[in-house]
Amino acid sequence: MKIQQLRHFLAIAEAGTLSRAAQHCHISQPSMSASLRKLERDVGKSLFVRHAHGLTPTQSGRQLQQHAVRILQAVEAARVSLDDVPAELTGELNVGVTETISAYLLPRVLRWQKTMLPGLAIHYIEDSVDGMQAQVANARIDIGLMVTDNLSPTSALTCEALFTSPRNLWLAAGHPLLQQPRIVLADVAKYPFVLLEMDEHVRTWERYWGASAAKPEIVFRSHSIEAVRSMVGQKGGITILSDLVFRPWTLDGEHLSRRRLDDEVPGMDIGVIHSGDAMGTRQQAFVNMLRHNLKRDALLDQQS
């Protein structure tokens, strides 16, 4: 079992067809097919069910999928750690985070902090986007790490972008839309929709659907990404969410797929806010740590 085979396997699991997976990995379809055959021989299991419209992971495939994701994350973490240079800083820093950051980016940040800012005592405070702006403006928080999709500029705060996580369509295995070569919002509107109400997702949802003549029927709303993921996995609806929070399986092991939309849908912007024009030494060190790691992290690789 080779790392490249696992990368190819995950591409097939997400794309649902050998041709789309081959395009994503920039190899030929015969090469992708050969890679899959070698992996299946190696593990002694069939990893996909072949059907007229593509491939769906078997139970063994779903199990390997979870292990493969963790293996590749560990490989990336090992590579990143070789570039870590600890900063000789001491003192304290109060960092605000929003819900999405707490759930999906903060665990990474905590690991980076231990190796790159070991002498700095960083305290994390979770708040809403509006609450974060108020706390930073009033100097109760030194810097805010947050979703900046709909942030309104103010004279008291400066916003610095870190990265944008693309928003894509999430569907269960076997969904009819997976058979279409291209998908637009009008296609999405024909199916029940599951809406995540965490952070700025609702305001952004209203922004891009506001320009569309068709609107989907919302059948479930939740602040829990796991509840949304499970609803989609159980074929209770579809959703549009960012790659930052994507995972190709639910807590019950149901398979999820992503598809790019041909209509323009804004990505989820992640950035930091601070008061004044310039950051202090500790604030700048924290931001430098984020940029250093994000450039090498799979979050940004998903945009290529």
Side-chain angles (χ1 to χ4, degrees):
M1 187 184 303
K2 299 179 180 179
I3 294 296
Q4 191 69 287
Q5 289 175 330
L6 293 179
R7 295 187 191 280
H8 293 165
F9 164 73
L10 289 178
I12 297 168
E14 181 171 331
T17 69
L18 288 170
S19 59
R20 278 197 293 261
Q23 290 173 1
H24 177 77
C25 295
H26 307 292
I27 63 173
S28 68
Q29 183 170 331
S31 295
M32 181 63 74
S33 181
S35 178
L36 175 58
R37 286 197 303 271
K38 290 177 182 176
L39 181 60
E40 289 185 319
R41 283 200 302 267
D42 189 20
V43 299
K45 302 282 186 181
S46 293
L47 299 176
F48 291 97
V49 175
R50 277 75 169 171
H51 51 80
H53 303 293
L55 301 95
T56 302
T58 61
Q59 178 62 33
S60 296
R62 288 195 293 270
Q63 288 179 310
L64 180 60
Q65 191 175 17
Q66 298 185 33
H67 289 296
V69 168
R70 294 181 183 120
I71 289 169
L72 294 180
Q73 286 174 341
V75 169
E76 179 66 16
R79 186 169 64 85
V80 168
S81 69
L82 298 177
D83 292 327
D84 293 345
V85 179
E88 296 181 359
L89 279 179
T90 58
E92 298 186 354
L93 186 70
N94 293 318
V95 176
V97 291
T98 51
E99 277 186 284
T100 301
I101 301 300
S102 290
Y104 293 95
L105 191 54
L106 186 56
R108 299 169 186 261
V109 175
L110 293 173
R111 290 198 301 270
W112 302 336
Q113 167 196 332
K114 289 179 181 178
T115 56
M116 295 192 67
L117 299 173
L120 194 60
I122 303 179
H123 310 290
Y124 294 94
I125 303 98
E126 185 180 295
D127 205 341
S128 65
V129 170
D130 293 338
M132 187 85 65
Q133 293 180 80
Q135 292 213 61
V136 173
N138 294 326
R140 291 193 295 270
I141 290 177
D142 299 310
I143 193 167
L145 176 58
M146 60 194 292
V147 176
T148 59
D149 285 6
N150 306 294
L151 198 63
S152 300
T154 70
S155 57
L157 298 175
T158 299
C159 177
E160 298 193 21
L162 291 175
F163 71 97
T164 298
S165 178
R167 280 187 169 90
N168 287 299
L169 180 65
W170 296 15
L171 318 94
H175 194 282
L177 283 177
L178 294 174
Q179 302 172 21
Q180 297 187 190
R182 61 188 300 269
I183 305 172
V184 296
L185 287 174
D187 298 320
V188 176
K190 298 173 184 176
Y191 295 91
F193 197 92
V194 182
L195 181 63
L196 179 66
E197 295 189 320
M198 182 188 291
D199 279 352
E200 291 294 286
H201 298 288
V202 174
R203 275 196 272 186
T204 303
W205 186 92
E206 292 170 345
R207 183 150 53 92
Y208 64 79
W209 279 107
S212 174
K215 300 287 189 301
E217 177 191 1
I218 299 174
V219 294
F220 184 67
R221 297 171 177 261
S222 178
H223 281 267
S224 167
I225 181 62
E226 297 304 335
V228 171
R229 200 189 314 276
S230 294
M231 185 68 74
V232 173
Q234 293 288 342
K235 301 182 180 179
I238 58 180
T239 194
I240 297 173
L241 287 173
S242 80
D243 287 351
L244 174 65
V245 299
F246 181 75
R247 189 181 65 231
W249 64 84
T250 70
L251 292 178
D252 291 330
E254 298 292 338
H255 176 69
L256 297 182
S257 292
R258 276 180 298 187
R259 286 293 180 274
R260 186 180 65 83
L261 291 161
D262 281 272
D263 281 339
E264 185 175 347
V265 174
M268 183 170 72
D269 298 326
I270 303 295
V272 294
I273 60 170
H274 58 87
S275 60
D277 295 327
M279 290 185 284
T281 302
R282 297 185 185 94
Q283 293 167 306
Q284 188 64 63
F286 181 77
V287 172
N288 289 345
M289 176 194 73
L290 294 176
R291 293 192 186 281
H292 168 83
N293 286 283
L294 288 170
K295 281 194 296 187
R296 295 166 172 80
D297 196 272
L299 292 174
L300 294 188
D301 290 344
Q302 291 168 358
Q303 300 179 53
S304 59

